[in-house]
Amino acid sequence: MAEFAFELNDEQKQVRDWLNGFASDVIRPAAAEWDEREETPWPVIQEAAKVGIYSLDFYAQQFFDPTGLGIPLAMEELFWGDAGIALSIVGTGLAAVGVLANGTEEQIGTWIPQMYGDVDDVKLAAFCSSEPDAGSDVGAMRTRAVYDGATDEWVLDGTKTWATNGGIANVHVVVAVVDPELGTKGHASFIVPPNTPGLTQGQKFKKHGIRASHTAEVVLDGVRVPGHCLLGGKEKLDERLARARERAKDAGAGEGERVKNAAMATFEASRPAVGAMAVGTARAAYEVALDYAKTRTQFGRPVIDNQGVAFQLADMRTQIDAARLLVWRASWMAATGKPFTAAEGSMSKLYASEVAKRVTAQAVQILGGNGFTREYPVERMHRDAAIYTIFEGTSEIQRLVIARALSGVPIR
């Protein structure tokens, strides 16, 4: 078991510095252009594939870092470069986590490589959970998956929304209802292979921030997928559903018990990583504000000579470091098998995302009128930061998860 340490080892430092160089030299120069275009930055993704960042091998190496810090280090540096472009580079990872969390070894080995492709033929994947009427309330999910025993196929019908890479991905991972009477316990995840008939892209969203990342609806109309595309397999699903039905027969047996469903297993695994993304954006905005305050003069002296500005910067840096430590703790706990008894994963995502919003807003304020223009990157960073308190569980949902963990009460 890896001991927790505040000092990174030499390999981690090398990876961090390498990613920082890519973010500085490739991502940042392209950030403003792709934010304005609101399109997937294919040239940057392809460049990331060429150097080995957009690849299964790279993410596997970071994922299996025994300290748990590989993924958060990578996320912080890439999102320090630019949140929209970085999300386009790492968006496939959420679908990959969905397969890792719910799939068999054979499914993991078959589908995750197809999500990335190779240097000469880059692929994308999308994780599809949210729906127009089922965001935070996953129990309201309506997309159905019905098993056709005659052909050993699952038939999927419904509409997914807010899907990163939705519709343009080669592989889609779709969460659907297989037993409506069981609520969230009746959900399962399915692989929809490339070019499957019936899957189409719906509305592409024009967003406030992370505009270089493609976000769209995914429409499933009679989509038929082979039985082996059910993540975990039908035998495992049948056993899980049978246990859920038995618990449902006993009026109080299931109350207060933590039961994972397909979507929640994915989100629990990814929340500290989202916290690291938020830390990267916050750190970028802080650095711009610090440099500006040291070089911008007003009333004959640098802006930072004013306590009102200097104290803001002190608070910004303190909050960023605190957020990073929460992310590192949760990531280390997950890697070493320590249970999130106090919802430490949600804590890290909650605090880091709120810090990103505060710090980027303070950065805009420190730059004054310049911060409100697109000539300076803090305007874009402020818009981008808004997403962290929304996606993969809003701040309100994180507080609910934490409160339930602390109290043992099914707070609503």
Side-chain angles (χ1 to χ4, degrees), residues 45 57 186 272 311 354:
I45 297 174
D57 288 344
F311 285 7
E354 294 288 348

Side-chain angles (χ1 to χ4, degrees), residues 144-305:
R144 289 294 310 276
V146 178
Y147 184 63
D148 183 348
T151 60
D152 186 27
E153 292 178 315
W154 288 89
V155 185
L156 279 60
D157 287 281
T159 299
K160 295 297 182 178
T161 194
W162 310 121
T164 299
N165 298 332
I168 66 171
N170 302 90
V171 177
H172 291 75
V173 178
V174 177
V175 182
V177 179
V178 294
D179 189 332
E181 295 182 359
L182 294 177
T184 59
K185 303 180 189 71
H187 294 179
S189 289
F190 299 84
I191 291 284
V192 180
N195 304 314
T196 299
L199 185 148
T200 58
Q201 178 184 308
Q203 175 187 4
K204 177 187 175 183
F205 296 104
K206 297 181 71 67
K207 305 187 299 293
H208 175 65
I210 54 167
R211 302 197 307 193
S213 173
H214 176 96
T215 310
E217 291 181 332
V218 174
V219 180
L220 303 131
D221 183 8
V223 172
R224 302 182 74 92
V225 300
H228 61 76
C229 287
L230 165 65
L231 290 180
K234 194 170 187 304
E235 182 177 348
K236 182 177 179 181
L237 173 65
D238 289 341
E239 291 175 356
R240 177 166 62 83
L241 295 178
R243 288 195 301 268
R245 293 185 188 106
E246 285 299 316
R247 283 192 294 266
K249 291 178 181 178
D250 186 344
E255 293 181 9
E257 183 178 357
R258 295 186 63 187
V259 180
K260 291 184 180 180
N261 63 51
M264 291 300 101
T266 301
F267 292 142
E268 284 184 15
S270 62
R271 277 172 179 161
V274 176
M277 299 173 189
V279 170
T281 299
R283 187 184 113 213
Y286 157 77
E287 291 175 358
V288 173
L290 176 63
D291 182 66
Y292 184 90
K294 291 164 65 175
T295 57
R296 171 74 167 175
T297 59
Q298 289 286 281
F299 304 105
R301 59 180 182 173
V303 171
I304 201 170
D305 278 359

